[in-house]
Amino acid sequence: QQYESLTYNDVLGWIADPGPDPFPIVVGEGYEITIQSSGNLILAGSYDPGFTINLTYHVPETGLGNKHWISIPYNSPYITGQNLVNSMNGGSETPGTVVDLARFNPGNQQYENVTYVDTLGWIPNPGPDPYTIIPGEGFEITISADTTWHPEAQ
């Protein structure tokens, strides 16, 4: 697994890494955008009620990780990171194939996550409560096996 990027250089213009062409936009994936100044960004999209997210597990020997970035429907019913991870694990608070769910907080430039620890259960970081879901955010998911998830929308 690796990051793909498209970066602007004042001399060379837009540079795709890895190149030579920019990466394709994939439905359901989350994207990180770095800005130089404040501004408004409007992303138009649609919701496909039949869409499922398929996450592939890579055995450790491959050297590939098991982190995936996704986006969820803007009108999803999830309130906290714990609600979202429970949904991904089949609606249960017991661990399933999703063992960590993280978001990047743009306000403090820190990651916040909900992680499962065998001896302690689900741990929100920073605690004491799981973070609040903000519509439009992307999430990093760590899995322990292949995972298929159908996101809900209101």
Side-chain angles (χ1 to χ4, degrees):
Q1 290 181 320
Q2 68 180 20
Y3 284 101
E4 297 174 304
S5 66
L6 189 60
T7 307
Y8 187 77
N9 177 290
D10 289 335
V11 175
L12 301 173
W14 289 100
I15 301 169
D17 181 29
D21 299 316
F23 54 87
I25 299 297
V26 178
V27 174
E29 284 189 355
Y31 295 89
E32 177 182 312
I33 299 171
T34 303
I35 60 172
Q36 290 183 336
S37 62
S38 296
N40 293 324
L41 174 65
I42 298 172
L43 300 174
S46 63
Y47 171 65
D48 177 357
F51 180 73
T52 58
I53 294 172
N54 297 300
L55 307 175
T56 302
Y57 178 77
H58 303 282
V59 294
E61 293 78 26
T62 63
L64 299 173
N66 287 297
K67 295 182 182 293
H68 300 270
W69 278 93
I70 67 159
S71 60
I72 60 173
Y74 193 80
N75 57 343
S76 68
Y78 313 109
I79 308 276
T80 68
Q82 189 68 57
N83 298 138
L84 183 54
V85 80
N86 290 352
S87 174
M88 292 177 174
N89 282 326
S92 175
E93 286 192 26
T94 58
T97 59
V98 176
V99 294
D100 185 80
L101 178 70
R103 74 180 275 265
F104 186 74
N105 183 327
N108 63 16
Q109 297 290 292
Q110 299 290 315
Y111 281 94
E112 299 172 336
N113 64 333
V114 180
T115 304
Y116 188 79
V117 177
D118 287 335
T119 55
L120 301 172
W122 290 102
I123 307 293
N125 179 35
D129 300 314
Y131 53 84
T132 301
I133 298 294
I134 299 172
E137 288 187 322
F139 297 90
E140 180 187 68
I141 296 146
T142 304
I143 58 173
S144 61
D146 286 348
T147 302
T148 299
W149 176 61
H150 179 79
E152 300 172 43
Q154 297 177 341

